[in-house]
Amino acid sequence: MTDDVDVDAAASAGTDTGADADALYQLLAGNTAHVESLPESYFDGVLDEQHPAVASVCCSDSRVPQEGMWNVDRPGWLFTPSTIGNQAWDRVDGERVVDGSVLYPLAYTGTDVVAVVGHTGCGAVAAALAAARGGTDHPPGVAKRVDLLVPVVEEGLAGADPDHPAGLVNQLVEHNVDRQVAFLRERAEVPDGVTAYGFVYDFQGAYGDTPGRAYLVNAAGETDPAALRDRVPEAFTDHVRRLA
């Protein structure tokens, strides 16, 4: 993970052994490299408050680098809530509400842009598809999130193409991004003036042959590719693509 610290040498001086200890040493070595890479003024301007420009509602997945995909290299620009299935909602007392981690920057830090980021091969969407087809067994915390996605998947199945080369799950990923954007746009607790965009982060080549590209699939409810391309500079039109 880092060449600046000899993890093996550091581990030999530790008292713990095994895979768990190795992961711990990797974390500590990585943080050491992080600290050493920071300029002295790195946190100037955000020591006492934050006003991030964007909240990125990303899927909780180790293959999806929430800051790295946007090349964010400074603190305070990107607010980073994540849930399995990049869900902008939660269920409280039986009602769907905006997830608190998503709503916080919109309500309290002046953030007025939300990027909902799904990704190809999403396990949460696949789990919801399995549940829609007959049920699966998950621990309560996971089951709650999967259950919230089941109606989205069922709705998406009606318009999905079973023969699409990108596969069924990836079509449902895109549909879920659309649904999360629509939910944020319709909720009264989201302040006026907030704009929601929808992206799919592609590392499977479902949208093109550029691994790691985030494809714009929705802009404030607009999903027509031609209209989306009109909204971005010509240099970024390759970032606009939809499966459906």
Side-chain angles (χ1 to χ4, degrees), residues 14-244:
T15 58
D16 290 343
T17 59
D20 290 349
D22 183 63
L24 170 62
Y25 301 147
Q26 291 280 0
L27 288 169
L28 294 173
N31 182 248
T32 298
H34 167 70
V35 170
E36 292 174 350
S37 73
L38 298 182
E40 191 170 323
S41 60
Y42 185 72
F43 291 105
D44 288 0
V46 295
L47 289 172
D48 300 315
E49 60 184 10
Q50 60 171 329
H51 299 286
V54 178
S56 172
V57 186
C58 199
C59 184
S60 303
D61 191 292
S62 63
R63 302 164 294 180
V64 183
Q66 199 162 358
E67 292 187 328
M69 72 172 71
W70 311 118
N71 198 33
V72 174
D73 60 0
R74 65 186 190 274
W77 191 85
L78 188 71
F79 199 89
T80 54
S82 64
T83 61
I84 57 173
N86 48 275
Q87 297 180 65
W89 52 44
D90 197 358
R91 183 181 291 135
V92 177
D93 296 329
E95 179 189 359
R96 285 194 190 222
V97 300
V98 179
D99 185 276
S101 296
V102 177
L103 185 59
Y104 178 83
L106 309 181
Y108 296 107
T109 70
T111 302
D112 56 11
V113 173
V114 182
V116 176
V117 187
H119 67 90
T120 50
C122 179
V125 171
L129 175 60
R133 286 174 164 173
T136 53
D137 187 26
H138 300 287
V142 175
K144 172 188 175 182
R145 286 294 183 180
V146 171
D147 289 348
L148 285 167
L149 281 177
V150 168
V152 177
V153 163
E154 291 175 335
E155 180 185 68
L157 283 171
D161 177 2
D163 299 319
H164 197 292
L168 184 57
V169 167
N170 287 331
Q171 293 176 77
L172 295 173
V173 164
E174 185 174 280
H175 179 75
N176 180 42
V177 169
D178 288 341
R179 188 66 194 91
Q180 302 300 324
V181 170
F183 176 78
L184 288 169
R185 296 183 69 230
E186 69 193 20
R187 293 298 299 186
E189 63 263 47
V190 174
D192 293 340
V194 170
T195 301
Y197 297 101
F199 294 86
V200 176
Y201 182 77
D202 184 14
F203 55 80
Q204 292 186 335
Y207 285 77
D209 57 1
T210 308
R213 176 166 284 171
Y215 288 91
L216 178 67
V217 299
N218 191 310
E222 178 60 71
T223 59
D224 177 69
L228 291 173
R229 281 190 287 271
D230 286 343
R231 298 180 70 137
V232 303
E234 185 176 354
F236 301 131
T237 55
D238 285 347
H239 288 259
V240 176
R241 197 164 297 175
R242 285 185 61 91
L243 300 180

